[in-house]
Amino acid sequence: MSAPYNDEKRYVVGVIGDIPALLTFWQLFKDQTNDQVLKDIGIVAAALPGETVLPEAHDENRQIPTYAGYRAMLESHPEINMVIETTGRTGLVHELRGYLPASITLVERGAANFFINLLTKDQIWVACKADLLHTQNMLKTIIDQLDQEILFLDRDGTVIGMNKTLADRVGRPKHTLMGRSYRELFRGTGDPENGYDVDPVGQTLKDQVPAETVTSQVGEDGRVQYFRIYTYPVFDEDGKSVNHVVAIRRDITQRTAIENRLQQAEKLASIGELSTYMAHEIRNPLFTISGFANSLMRAEGMDDKAREKLSIILDESKRLDEILKALMNFTRPTEAQVAEMDVNALVEATMDVMSLPCANQGVEPSVSLDTSVARVRANPDLIKQCLINLIKNALEAMEGGGKLFVTTGMNRDSVLLSVEDTGIGVAPEIRDKVFSPFFSTKGKGAGLGLAQTHKIIDELGGEVDLVSKVGLGTKVTLHLPPLLAVAESEKSE
């Protein structure tokens, strides 16, 4: 008698049949079953009634004993709880039904074939499931690695899915964002109060076509970010109605900045042509008007009212001439001599001049200078002009008093000169315009101060950075190229 089968299989099987039927069953069973099924089923013995020469059989690298009859097989293996009959012989099946105890299940040939077919279908299902999971994981990996933020919405605009990029930007797990409105994640979309009356999701659901819009929002650091949002309909199986929407948001802040610079360059070119025309066509008659007005002022017999009107003519002519001069200076390339300069010394000298205007307006100035800051190669008078422009703008934003912070510092690439106020701040809708020529919110002047500052710093190879929050204040930082040690070594050579 063989030792009991101790692999803890759920079904301990003994197989009965002639050699052709047994081999056919054995091959079919091994080919069609999967690993999970084989963990539950163990074939421990085989019986071949009437055979004197018994072939060898193996299961999981172990030899399966064979017997000349099923009675000997069952006596040697009391652990068997299932017998599979593979010949289909009516007499043998009838004999087995009468002999086998109730604890042993008899599986006839037809039933065995049926269950093997079920195993085959199960194997196909497992393969399809594995293929589906692979496709799903690959698609998820691709979507999660995209730089764009992606939302999957239902017909109510409720979030039912998203990619990792969006969850990382929000800084919260995906499951905490499910069920929210897309407006909470794509702020500014379809919000008339923010100037964006186009709701791409609503338009896609209504018209069943792709839609897009541009939005902006001020981040926690006070900087404006621009986004373009695309929405695409997902139709149901019949292709007649939209049941889901895919919304994609792309950060276009960098592209918008480049476009603004190009527009600025085109605007400056147009202003340059206009200023040349104005210099020839306006300043000559303006000079004539001023000359005659001065002559009339000196004439005898002129009453006070007439002199007052002539004085207004002279003042307005002078103001117009100053605007023309500012315009000519603005459009003319900066040809001032550059030299090595100390930014800290320039700030101290400028604040000595601007301390009185600050005191008169109830503004408390604070100066913080980084003594380790590098020197800059620029024109001191022009940098001073830029600093004065920034301080004047800060004072105008704090009519009721406040605090003014002027600081210097340095990052990896630039020397930093910052002017920060606690004034009214800059509204998002005009933030793109503050560096444009002739734009002013004060109703006076030519509106060239910040535009001139931007032009000067840009010609030096630097940058101007504006950070503002409405009601809290504004900070403008000039990024100035530092004086490189290479320049010093070449000069010494």
Side-chain angles (χ1 to χ4, degrees), residues 142-389:
I142 293 173
I143 292 176
D144 282 342
Q145 290 183 359
L146 293 176
D147 291 335
Q148 291 85 357
E149 302 165 5
I150 302 176
L151 282 179
F152 302 98
L153 312 172
D154 62 14
R155 285 191 57 83
D156 298 323
T158 302
V159 177
I160 60 174
M162 70 192 69
N163 67 341
K164 184 175 180 295
T165 303
L166 190 146
D168 290 344
R169 180 188 63 80
V170 177
R172 296 177 58 182
K174 289 184 179 180
H175 70 272
T176 64
L177 302 175
M178 298 297 182
R180 295 178 178 270
S181 170
Y182 71 95
R183 287 189 175 93
E184 296 183 44
L185 302 179
F186 286 177
R187 286 182 293 170
T189 308
D191 188 354
E193 296 182 0
N194 289 340
Y196 304 104
D197 55 358
V198 177
D199 181 359
V201 175
Q203 185 176 346
T204 294
L205 288 171
K206 177 183 177 182
D207 301 333
Q208 299 189 358
V209 295
E212 65 179 81
T213 189
V214 176
T215 67
S216 69
Q217 66 183 49
V218 180
E220 295 181 358
D221 58 356
R223 289 177 167 83
V224 177
Q225 287 180 289
Y226 291 90
F227 301 94
R228 183 174 292 277
I229 297 177
Y230 307 86
T231 55
Y232 301 93
V234 178
F235 293 89
D236 55 17
E237 292 182 358
D238 58 11
K240 295 181 179 179
S241 60
V242 176
N243 53 16
H244 293 89
V245 174
V246 178
I248 302 175
R249 187 169 79 161
R250 184 161 59 92
D251 191 335
I252 59 170
T253 306
Q254 188 67 27
R255 192 186 75 178
T256 302
I258 295 173
E259 290 175 351
N260 289 341
R261 288 186 179 181
L262 291 175
Q263 292 174 2
Q264 183 86 343
E266 293 175 357
K267 188 179 295 184
L268 291 178
S270 300
I271 292 173
E273 296 177 1
L274 178 63
S275 63
T276 303
Y277 172 80
M278 293 175 65
H280 289 87
E281 301 298 329
I282 297 179
R283 296 190 75 179
N284 289 337
L286 182 63
F287 178 77
T288 303
I289 293 172
S290 299
F292 278 109
N294 274 314
S295 298
L296 290 174
M297 285 286 287
R298 292 192 296 268
E300 297 180 0
M302 189 72 62
D303 59 26
D304 292 340
K305 288 186 178 181
R307 289 182 183 278
E308 183 180 353
K309 293 177 181 178
L310 288 171
S311 178
I312 293 175
I313 292 175
L314 287 172
D315 290 342
E316 292 301 310
S317 298
K318 182 178 180 181
R319 189 172 73 87
L320 182 57
D321 186 58
E322 289 176 352
I323 292 175
L324 288 173
K325 288 180 180 178
L327 180 60
M328 294 293 293
N329 290 333
F330 177 76
T331 57
R332 186 180 298 118
T334 304
E335 297 179 353
Q337 295 294 322
V338 296
E340 181 181 326
M341 58 167 284
D342 185 344
V343 176
N344 289 341
L346 182 138
V347 171
E348 291 176 340
T350 304
M351 291 307 297
D352 288 341
V353 176
M354 299 302 296
S355 58
L356 182 58
C358 290
N360 292 338
Q361 200 166 311
V363 173
E364 179 184 349
S366 174
V367 179
S368 177
L369 305 178
D370 184 354
T371 56
S372 64
V373 74
R375 297 176 72 83
V376 174
R377 191 168 185 81
N379 183 276
D381 292 334
L382 293 180
I383 301 301
K384 184 175 182 179
Q385 177 185 342
C386 294
L387 181 56
I388 291 175
N389 287 340

Side-chain angles (χ1 to χ4, degrees), residues 427-469:
E429 59 267 19
I430 66 171
R431 197 162 303 194
D432 291 338
K433 305 175 183 178
V434 295
F435 293 108
S436 298
F438 307 112
F439 178 79
S440 176
T441 59
K442 301 183 287 290
K444 58 182 180 179
L448 292 172
L450 286 177
Q452 183 72 23
T453 298
H454 195 283
K455 179 174 179 288
I456 291 171
I457 302 303
D458 189 58
E459 289 182 357
L460 284 174
E463 295 181 356
V464 181
D465 181 42
L466 183 143
V467 176
S468 183
K469 291 186 177 181

Side-chain angles (χ1 to χ4, degrees), residues 48 61 99 119 137 171 193 229 259 264 368 403 410 418 420 469 473 481:
L48 291 87
N61 297 323
Y99 178 80
L119 293 175
N137 289 334
E193 296 182 0
I229 297 177
E259 290 175 351
Q264 183 86 343
S368 177
K403 294 184 178 181
M410 192 169 182
S418 301
E420 183 176 3
K469 291 186 177 181

